[in-house]
Amino acid sequence: MGYENHKQLVPITINCAIVIISDSRTEKTDESGKALSEGLCSAGHKIIDFSLLKNDPSAIRSKLGELLHTPEIQVVITSGGTGASKMDVTIETVLPILEKKLDGFGELFRSLTYDEISTGSILSRACAGVALGKVVICLPGSLNAVRLALEKIILPEVGHLVKEASR
């Protein structure tokens, strides 16, 4: 079966969890989480869980474990903690949990980012993978990065990702 045929058989509504990882954002100041929620909901998807965590590996690991064991959740999207500073711990925390890494996600994200911010794109460690039959996507915390990933990658492919990850 070809790519287009696969895309015609994907679920229409996806149940998502959003995890914002930041030491400085609050519910009031978090624009990236709002953009993710609004973008996903506008496309017909559901937000089942939303949390805001500090850059704390234990808290991230615990929350991710909880979400991956919640049957109705199909996709977990994190935003924040993906940079190069010592405070950025999302990638180091999430990668060991992934059973499969989807390298193309990060590669495509950095390519699209390069078109917008040039060589600064090398600082992005955005990634995606599969754990326990669920899609896990880790995005930078910036609003522009979230919008770019949502519009150019996540919304066009999330149904296909879920279909494949759950097989």
Side-chain angles (χ1 to χ4, degrees):
M1 184 179 300
Y3 172 75
E4 289 304 321
N5 292 12
H6 274 279
K7 284 198 69 159
Q8 292 175 2
L9 301 173
V10 303
I12 304 293
T13 300
I14 306 296
N15 293 329
C16 305
I18 296 171
V19 181
I20 302 304
I21 301 165
S22 173
D23 289 338
S24 59
R25 295 190 184 171
T26 65
E27 286 186 36
K28 282 186 176 181
T29 63
D30 170 41
E31 294 179 326
S32 297
K34 289 175 192 162
L36 278 169
S37 291
E38 290 169 6
L40 290 163
C41 290
S42 292
H45 306 303
K46 294 181 183 170
I47 307 304
I48 304 297
D49 191 276
F50 186 100
S51 25
L52 193 109
L53 304 176
K54 299 288 184 201
N55 282 295
D56 173 12
S58 250
I60 296 167
R61 219 177 351 268
S62 175
K63 186 63 181 180
L64 195 54
E66 172 193 324
L67 296 171
L68 292 174
H69 286 91
T70 301
E72 62 266 28
I73 292 175
Q74 298 167 291
V75 175
V76 177
I77 302 173
T78 72
S79 174
T82 64
S85 84
K86 43 185 162 173
M87 292 182 348
D88 295 317
V89 297
T90 300
I91 302 305
E92 291 75 16
T93 305
V94 172
L95 282 181
I97 296 167
L98 299 179
E99 296 157 1
K100 294 184 183 289
K101 189 173 174 219
L102 301 173
D103 293 321
F105 182 92
E107 293 163 1
L108 177 56
F109 179 80
R110 281 179 285 283
S111 174
L112 293 167
T113 302
Y114 178 82
D115 294 341
E116 291 195 2
I117 65 168
S118 187
T119 56
S121 63
I122 66 167
L123 292 170
S124 171
R125 297 187 303 143
C127 71
V130 176
L132 299 178
K134 297 169 194 272
V135 177
V136 179
I137 300 170
C138 299
L139 302 175
S142 86
L143 180 58
N144 287 342
V146 164
R147 284 182 177 152
L148 176 72
L150 192 59
E151 293 167 14
K152 301 281 185 171
I153 307 172
I154 296 170
L155 292 178
E157 286 299 324
V158 71
H160 192 201
L161 284 166
V162 166
K163 180 180 181 291
E164 292 302 311
S166 64
R167 293 181 349 142

